[in-house]
Amino acid sequence: MICFKVDSEYDSYRIDKYLLEQNHSSLYSRSFIEKLINTEKVFINSAFCKKKCQKLKQDDVINVLIDPLTMPASELPQKEDINLDIVYEDKYLAIINKPAGMTVHPAKSNRTGTLVNALLFHFDELSQNDFQRPGIVHRLDKDTTGLVIVTKDNKTHFEMSQLFIERRIEKYYLCICLGVPDPLVGKIEMPIARHQTNRLKMAVHPEGKDALSYYKTLIDFEYFALLEMRIETGRTHQIRVHLEAKNHPV
């Protein structure tokens, strides 16, 4: 079962459109989502969703039942023999150094070559909280190199997810930005929401989710700067959005 809670930005959204956006670049097809609704696999506040055009309200809780055995093979990620840089592993989890250029999980535009495809090849057991993203607790941008925590069972997945929700895991990043921030050390606190016209992008918006980033200038290159970023929240594309809003794009 996959669970969602509707944010304010999706108030009055149709359920089918909402589910398309939540599965990141339409990994599930529109027809598959419609089939889930028609076969009573989608619940809104514990009640069956009766039609695909049903409108949502802020704070609605949506549950989706997905049985991987009934899914078309084309909808399931496939294992691929892709080299992984495994920096730590035990019986509960693994930590992978994801290279820039690798997408974390499949999407409509790229169903192969992702971290998930590689994980399915290298690990016999992965958590199954989401059959499209086995083992995935959190994500990194395609163009970001960094450590990704992968869980091997659902209990560990839940416990790691709670640590992220409670902000008990500190996340640090290095990036090069255009220009040099003034002051050299500071914080950026701006709410982030999905872009109003391009729904595939994120942007600063007064009605978005709270987002807090801390930065420290490590090297001043005059026209560029190397920054250490620590993000208190984990919004999609948070560092890129915050720095662009301050006229220091990555």
Side-chain angles (χ1 to χ4, degrees), residues 1 9 13 57 152 176 207:
M1 178 181 290
E9 63 181 299
Y13 249 58
K57 297 179 181 178
K152 298 183 177 182
I176 295 176
E207 296 181 4

Side-chain angles (χ1 to χ4, degrees), residues 23-28 74-78 80 103-118 120 131-134 136 139:
N23 74 72
H24 305 283
S25 302
S26 301
L27 180 58
Y28 304 125
S74 61
E75 300 283 352
L76 290 170
Q78 303 299 310
E80 295 181 59
T103 303
V104 170
H105 56 74
K108 187 175 182 179
S109 59
N110 61 307
R111 293 183 177 274
T112 61
T114 73
L115 179 61
V116 163
N117 298 116
L120 289 169
F131 296 108
Q132 295 283 13
R133 291 180 277 275
I136 300 301
R139 295 182 294 273

